[in-house]
Amino acid sequence: MQVEAFGRTFTVPVMCPCMIEKRDQQEELDRKRDNQKRLESLRKHSLMDEAFFKTTFATAQIDKTQQNYYTIAKEYCDNWKEMKARNVGMTLIGSPGIGKTHIAFCIANELLNRCIPVIAISTINLINKVYESYGKFQEAGEVETIRTLQNADLLILDDLGAEHSGKTGKEKQIIYSVLDARLRNNKPLIITSNLTVDGLREKLRGSDGIERTFDRLIASSPIIEMNGTPRRVAIGDDKRKLLYGLANKK
């Protein structure tokens, strides 16, 4: 192709349609490769156990009592940009085995698959991770751990209240520091807990008796009380029926 400019004629190379198609295909491959590398890096630093990577909306076995909760969780992911911009999280509470962790990790995997930085960790593992860091970095290890949790787009803190209080109250201080870092920086936070509303309020009450952390938490991560039959109870009922069924065959 010839182009005239400044009184001169220049020959400009032009790609044929097949070359354009080949270029676009290569760019798409490069994009997918970059996304896969980023996803692998995010998964590596997500702090999730390997088993939880299989916890997805696609594989979730949902009964009628849980359908609404999964719908909320899926819509949360589909509207992530707004949720992040408005600092919206959730606090899932209910009986053990009701599916709180399962829903939380479905959210984690869904967002990770979209290359969104998510960290999911239980409070017990969080405290253990901080204590392990003391051996290498002393108190600086705690600061670095909290900074890592602060920087993720979404933090999922699983099983709040299961950790031991300890005589020194250090465990409670670690949890408070993590929550405070997220809340002060308007970063979304999802929490699961077997505690009741009153139990959670007591858990987060400051040494001065003021409930500021609880109030700030539920303002950004409103409480969703999950009801229904615990999964393990339902599985046990099915197996019991199977055993009684064996007797009825005779």
Side-chain angles (χ1 to χ4, degrees), residues 15-222:
M15 289 191 295
C16 66
C18 61
M19 293 177 64
I20 294 175
E21 181 180 0
K22 185 176 181 180
R23 180 204 62 188
D24 291 344
Q25 290 176 347
Q26 186 59 49
E27 289 179 351
E28 178 65 14
L29 287 174
D30 291 342
R31 184 188 65 79
K32 289 182 178 180
R33 189 180 299 109
D34 290 343
N35 283 344
Q36 185 62 33
K37 288 181 179 179
R38 176 170 170 77
L39 177 57
E40 291 173 359
S41 177
L42 289 173
R43 286 185 180 278
K44 179 181 179 181
H45 293 93
S46 67
L47 304 182
M48 293 170 65
D49 294 333
E50 187 64 29
F52 285 111
F53 289 133
K54 300 178 182 178
T55 308
T56 66
F57 288 114
T59 60
Q61 297 180 348
I62 308 169
D63 60 33
K64 293 181 179 180
T65 63
Q66 298 172 324
Q67 182 61 58
N68 190 46
Y69 306 125
Y70 278 88
T71 298
I72 292 173
K74 188 63 168 64
E75 288 298 317
Y76 180 87
C77 295
D78 291 342
N79 293 275
W80 167 248
K81 288 185 178 180
E82 180 183 4
M83 299 297 99
K84 179 183 177 182
R86 299 181 63 177
N87 184 28
V88 178
M90 63 183 80
T91 302
L92 304 173
I93 65 174
S95 303
I98 206 73
K100 303 180 296 296
T101 297
H102 196 274
I103 287 179
F105 281 96
C106 280
I107 293 174
N109 275 312
E110 181 70 19
L111 294 180
L112 278 171
N113 285 334
R114 302 181 189 189
C115 291
I116 295 168
V118 178
I119 288 180
I121 189 171
S122 71
T123 54
I124 293 176
N125 286 340
L126 167 60
I127 290 170
N128 289 339
K129 186 175 181 62
V130 170
Y131 283 159
E132 288 171 4
S133 71
Y134 288 164
K136 296 180 179 179
F137 308 105
Q138 290 78 46
E139 295 294 327
E142 178 179 343
V143 174
E144 183 59 31
T145 299
I146 293 174
R147 183 181 293 113
T148 299
L149 300 179
Q150 175 185 326
N151 290 336
D153 281 10
L154 174 65
L155 172 64
I156 296 177
L157 194 58
D158 185 45
D159 213 4
L160 178 64
E163 71 282 354
H164 299 293
S165 298
K167 295 182 179 181
T168 64
K170 181 61 179 178
E171 288 83 359
K172 186 172 183 178
Q173 179 186 332
I174 292 171
I175 298 300
Y176 172 81
S177 297
V178 171
L179 294 178
D180 186 64
R182 298 291 301 185
L183 295 170
R184 286 184 180 276
N185 288 276
N186 294 318
K187 293 288 191 71
L189 178 68
I190 292 179
I191 285 178
T192 74
S193 179
N194 295 333
L195 297 174
T196 63
V197 175
D198 289 339
L200 187 61
R201 179 183 288 107
E202 178 63 30
K203 179 72 178 179
L204 299 177
R205 181 176 288 126
S207 57
D208 54 6
I210 299 177
E211 300 172 356
R212 62 175 67 86
T213 302
F214 175 82
D215 292 340
R216 289 165 59 202
L217 174 64
I218 62 173
S220 63
S221 302

Side-chain angles (χ1 to χ4, degrees), residues 7-18:
R8 298 178 60 186
T9 301
F10 300 88
T11 299
V12 180
V14 177
M15 289 191 295
C16 66
C18 61

